[in-house]
């Protein structure tokens, strides 16, 4: 069954979701780019407050594709106690080499690392085999440019389905995000991703930099948990 992820930018925001905690509480700073990082103290405070009531993840920021930059950022974020560390992989010339060089760090780290690819700037090469080889625990699709266009504006359903199938066949957790709307749930749930990720759909006026609305979180949680209708025989 597909689960859900909600991104928060502060302890106060996380606390507004106390009655409707997501399966993964994700921590990032939406004002600092696609995967802007929160400071480590804030992340640690949220992890402490959650106290294992749900899983937690945090992003390390929009970093250049250099292993010597990303590796210490992963280590520092893992030290906050999160269950997953997320890193964005941008379509830069050094990307594949960076993934290969991160393998030593990722394979020795006890905290699983999730790769985030961007549907609006996908690299030419298929990275899933390289991510598996390097020790990544999962892969997500998101959008890099937060300009009102969502995941479904960039990739058709059959491409998303292929991505999910290949990730699962490689033993990776897989997720979809990128300005997903409430109405996208019924479209995307049949694809059977492990997680659907939300930020703007939970915010007032659907703006990702606005504060979260717990009533929207309740609606979204109910929709995620509603079973899909069974196909009619015949």
């Amino acid at each position: 069954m597909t689960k859900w992820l909600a991104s928060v930018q502060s302890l106060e925001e996380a606390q507004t979701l106390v009655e409707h905690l997501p399966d993964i509480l994700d921590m990032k700073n939406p004002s600092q780019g696609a995967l802007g990082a929160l400071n480590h103290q804030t992340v640690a405070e949220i992890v402490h407050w959650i106290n294992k009531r749900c899983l937690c993840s945090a992003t390390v920021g929009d970093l250049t594709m250099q292993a010597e930059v990303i590796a210490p950022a992963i280590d520092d974020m893992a030290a906050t106690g999160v269950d997953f560390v997320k890193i964005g992989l941008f379509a830069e010339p050094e990307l594949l080499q960076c993934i290969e060089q991160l393998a030593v760090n990722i394979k020795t780290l006890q905290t699983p690392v999730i790769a985030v690819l961007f549907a609006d700037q996908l690299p030419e090469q298929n990275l899933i085999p390289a991510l598996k080889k390097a020790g990544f625990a999962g892969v997500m699709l998101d959008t890099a440019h937060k300009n009102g266009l969502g995941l479904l504006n960039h990739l058709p359903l059959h491409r998303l389905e292929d991505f999910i199938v290949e990730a699962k066949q490689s033993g990776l957790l897989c997720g979809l995000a990128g300005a997903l709307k409430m109405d996208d749930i019924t479209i995307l749930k049949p694809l059977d991703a492990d997680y659907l990720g939300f930020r703007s759909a939970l915010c007032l006026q659907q703006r990702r930099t606005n504060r979260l609305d717990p009533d929207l979180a309740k609606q979204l949680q109910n929709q995620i948990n509603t079973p899909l209708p069974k196909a009619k025989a015949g």
Side-chain angles (χ1 to χ4, degrees):
M1 180 178 177
T2 299
K3 299 178 181 180
W4 69 296
L5 171 154
S7 294
V8 300
Q9 60 183 342
S10 66
L11 176 59
E12 181 183 11
E13 272 198 349
Q15 290 171 334
T16 67
L17 299 180
V18 65
E19 295 183 6
H20 311 289
L21 287 175
D23 298 291
I24 296 182
L25 189 76
D26 182 54
M27 290 166 265
K28 65 182 178 185
N29 186 346
S31 67
Q32 297 296 317
L35 295 178
L38 289 179
N39 68 70
H40 299 137
Q41 180 178 345
T42 299
V43 173
E45 289 173 353
I46 295 172
V47 170
H48 178 74
W49 175 77
I50 285 295
N51 193 27
K52 303 296 183 181
R53 286 176 291 179
C54 68
L55 297 174
C56 294
S57 64
T59 62
V60 298
D62 294 353
L63 303 178
T64 184
M65 295 296 95
Q66 297 177 4
E68 62 268 25
V69 174
I70 296 175
I74 293 174
D75 291 343
D76 290 345
M77 193 58 77
T80 64
V82 291
D83 298 292
F84 301 99
V85 174
K86 292 167 57 182
I87 66 170
L89 299 181
F90 296 91
E92 298 177 11
E94 305 85 359
L95 176 56
L96 194 57
Q97 181 183 11
C98 177
I99 293 171
E100 293 170 351
Q101 292 175 345
L102 285 172
V104 173
N105 177 261
I106 289 173
K107 288 180 179 179
T108 56
L109 192 69
Q110 291 188 343
T111 305
V113 180
I114 307 294
V116 181
L117 305 178
F118 299 99
D120 46 348
Q121 51 171 261
L122 281 173
E124 292 183 4
Q125 67 268 48
N126 176 10
L127 294 180
I128 288 181
L131 296 175
K132 175 65 176 178
K133 185 177 180 180
F136 282 83
V139 59
M140 291 190 70
L141 274 178
D142 202 333
T143 54
H145 300 292
K146 307 303 182 180
N147 54 9
L149 297 179
L151 183 69
L152 291 169
N153 296 114
H154 297 290
L155 291 176
L157 283 177
H158 72 88
R159 289 280 305 278
L160 299 178
E161 185 172 23
D162 290 346
F163 164 79
I164 292 166
V165 169
E166 184 175 6
K168 288 192 170 188
Q169 287 176 344
S170 298
L172 299 177
L173 287 171
C174 62
L176 303 177
L180 298 184
K181 300 178 175 64
M182 203 90 67
D183 292 343
D184 294 335
I185 294 174
T186 55
I187 299 172
L188 295 176
K189 272 181 67 175
L191 303 185
D192 201 28
D194 293 307
Y195 293 95
L196 298 179
F198 300 90
R199 169 71 193 179
S200 56
L202 300 171
C203 294
L204 295 173
Q205 300 173 320
Q206 282 69 64
R207 294 180 181 174
R208 67 194 296 263
T209 53
N210 286 353
R211 66 179 178 85
L212 293 189
D213 183 340
D215 289 334
L216 290 174
K218 180 180 180 180
Q219 292 175 38
L220 195 148
Q221 186 177 57
N222 288 339
Q223 193 158 341
I224 283 282
N225 292 334
T226 299
L228 292 168
K230 294 182 179 180
K232 294 182 180 180

